[in-house]
Amino acid sequence: MRIAIVREIKNNEFRVAITPAGVHDLVSHGHEVIVEHDAGLGSSIPDEAYASAGARISATAAETWSAAQLLLKVKEPLESEYGYFREGLVLFTFLHLAAEPQLTRALITSGMTAIAYETVQSADGSLPLLAPMSEVAGRLAPIVGANTMLKPNGGPGLLVPGVPGTHPAVVTVIGAGVAGSNATGVAVGLGAEVTVLDTNIARLRELDAVYAGRIKTIASNSFEVQKAVIASDLVIGAVLVPGARAPKLVSNETVSRMRPGSVLVDIAVDQGGCFADSHATTHANPTFTVHGSLFYCVANMPGAVPHTSTYALTNATLPYVRAIASRGWRSALAGDAALAAGLNVHAGAVTNNAVADAHGLAGVPLVSILHSL
């Protein structure tokens, strides 16, 4: 199969969808790999490294898209890339379609097949391709939050760990999944006073055991979320409903009662955000102000650490890419229920119910797609 990797064009997105080791693996299995010129440069991977691993370097995005049978990306295609869509092309990338009506319509109209990293879901409910980027975003969240709290950046001038004789920052993490758990670990390591909220009591019990009482764990409901947020210097939103829009858990009115200069970091902004006032920002212009509080809502947080993120992502995606390339997408999905859950759009039909519901569309049963001729 011809597998193509394009250079990402989203604002300050420096990740790339594959490493040279991944190229070598696919080439050794008999596949042709095409990598767009300078696609890996932002991740400190030069064209020469890909060429040495067996890839062909293409000169332009148009050439790369047109050569692909299977096209790998990191982030969702932008409007300038919609013209490359075509029937028969298989796209494998993060899509976040519940929050992307225009992209959803473009994929439907094109007739192509779109498989989303973020909805590949194992039987135990885990999200193996989203997990590494959730780990990165979770660990970044307290760091960017601490930076935003510096006075020159518009914050209150609060040092997260404090110093002897002063109070540390109060940090609330909403959600105790992969991103929230990683955010908790870094926030604790920075010396913050940390509270974690989640509806899953078993998960809170696990975190309590890990930190031996070092953190507060609270069963999440609207009353407790409001109470914790108002008392916080930094709030990290890490709530996820696979494939669906994130629930809005922090209202505008609640933000109005927070301390001036408090910071809210919304990891869930790719799925619409879990704060009422969230909207996607960029690394070039990461924050905006609501009622005197700073919102950090960068939609591609892991893009700030592309070297780490690229290798972590390839580690997770490569087995699935290999399966699709070797068996064909339909056979690969039919043989792997986790990968099958990643199918979002095929031949003008939406196969993911959460995406269909988000846009008021009629979903098509996945089984009818996988077993059709």
Side-chain angles (χ1 to χ4, degrees), residues 8-371:
E8 299 296 321
I9 61 172
K10 193 179 181 77
N11 180 282
N12 281 283
E13 179 53 73
F14 301 111
R15 288 172 289 179
V16 62
I18 202 166
T19 62
V23 169
H24 180 271
D25 181 282
L26 294 171
V27 171
S28 69
H29 282 82
H31 305 293
E32 181 183 359
V33 180
I34 303 102
V35 177
E36 184 182 348
H37 172 60
D38 283 348
L41 205 57
S43 294
S44 303
I45 306 172
D47 288 346
E48 292 77 11
Y50 286 116
S52 295
R56 172 166 67 86
I57 306 302
S58 62
T60 65
E63 179 185 338
T64 311
W65 280 86
S66 64
Q69 294 174 301
L70 170 63
L71 190 126
L72 306 180
K73 286 184 91 283
V74 177
K75 290 302 292 177
E76 69 283 350
L78 301 184
E79 187 175 359
S80 63
E81 296 173 300
Y82 295 175
Y84 300 131
F85 292 180
R86 67 180 191 278
E87 186 176 354
L89 177 63
V90 180
L91 173 67
F92 196 24
T93 187
F94 285 116
L95 287 171
H96 303 289
L97 293 183
E100 293 282 352
Q102 185 180 6
L103 174 58
T104 303
R105 287 193 298 270
L107 290 170
I108 291 171
T109 302
S110 72
M112 66 192 290
T113 299
I115 306 169
Y117 292 159
E118 74 275 5
T119 63
V120 173
Q121 186 167 18
S122 301
D124 62 1
S126 63
L127 303 166
L129 305 190
L130 185 61
M133 297 302 93
S134 294
E135 291 169 343
V136 171
R139 294 184 184 201
L140 268 177
I143 296 171
V144 299
N147 184 63
T148 304
M149 282 195 290
L150 300 179
K151 195 66 176 179
N153 294 332
L158 179 65
L159 180 65
V160 170
V163 295
T166 70
H167 292 286
V170 176
V171 177
T172 291
V173 180
I174 306 174
V178 175
S181 297
N182 278 271
T184 297
V186 172
V188 170
L190 289 174
E193 179 184 317
V194 181
T195 297
V196 184
L197 297 102
D198 200 283
T199 57
N200 187 333
I201 303 301
R203 183 64 188 132
L204 294 179
R205 188 173 289 116
E206 292 172 359
L207 287 177
D208 180 74
V210 168
Y211 293 103
R214 174 67 179 81
I215 64 173
K216 298 176 184 177
T217 56
I218 304 294
S220 183
N221 54 60
S222 59
F223 176 84
E224 294 292 355
V225 168
Q226 183 181 74
K227 179 181 175 182
V229 167
I230 291 170
S232 296
D233 300 301
L234 170 61
V235 178
I236 297 170
V239 178
L240 174 70
V241 179
R245 290 187 69 89
K248 300 294 187 181
L249 301 181
V250 177
S251 69
N252 178 276
E253 191 276 335
T254 297
V255 174
S256 73
R257 298 166 62 188
M258 296 180 72
R259 288 188 283 271
S262 55
V263 175
L264 299 95
V265 178
D266 197 341
I267 298 174
V269 72
D270 270 337
Q271 295 291 139
C274 58
F275 308 144
D277 295 291
S278 290
H279 62 77
T281 61
T282 67
H283 290 292
N285 189 22
T287 63
F288 58 92
T289 303
V290 177
H291 295 305
S293 294
L294 286 168
F295 277 59
Y296 182 101
C297 299
V298 174
N300 59 327
M301 287 176 63
V305 285
H307 192 73
T308 297
S309 298
T310 288
Y311 282 86
L313 183 61
T314 299
N315 290 342
T317 59
L318 184 59
Y320 295 98
V321 173
R322 189 190 303 124
I324 294 170
S326 298
R327 301 174 58 185
W329 73 267
R330 198 185 302 268
S331 177
L333 269 61
D336 186 339
L339 182 56
L343 185 64
N344 278 210
V345 179
H346 169 67
V350 175
T351 59
N352 182 283
N353 288 333
V355 172
D357 291 346
H359 302 304
L361 300 171
V364 174
L366 181 61
V367 65
S368 68
I369 300 294
L370 296 184
H371 298 289

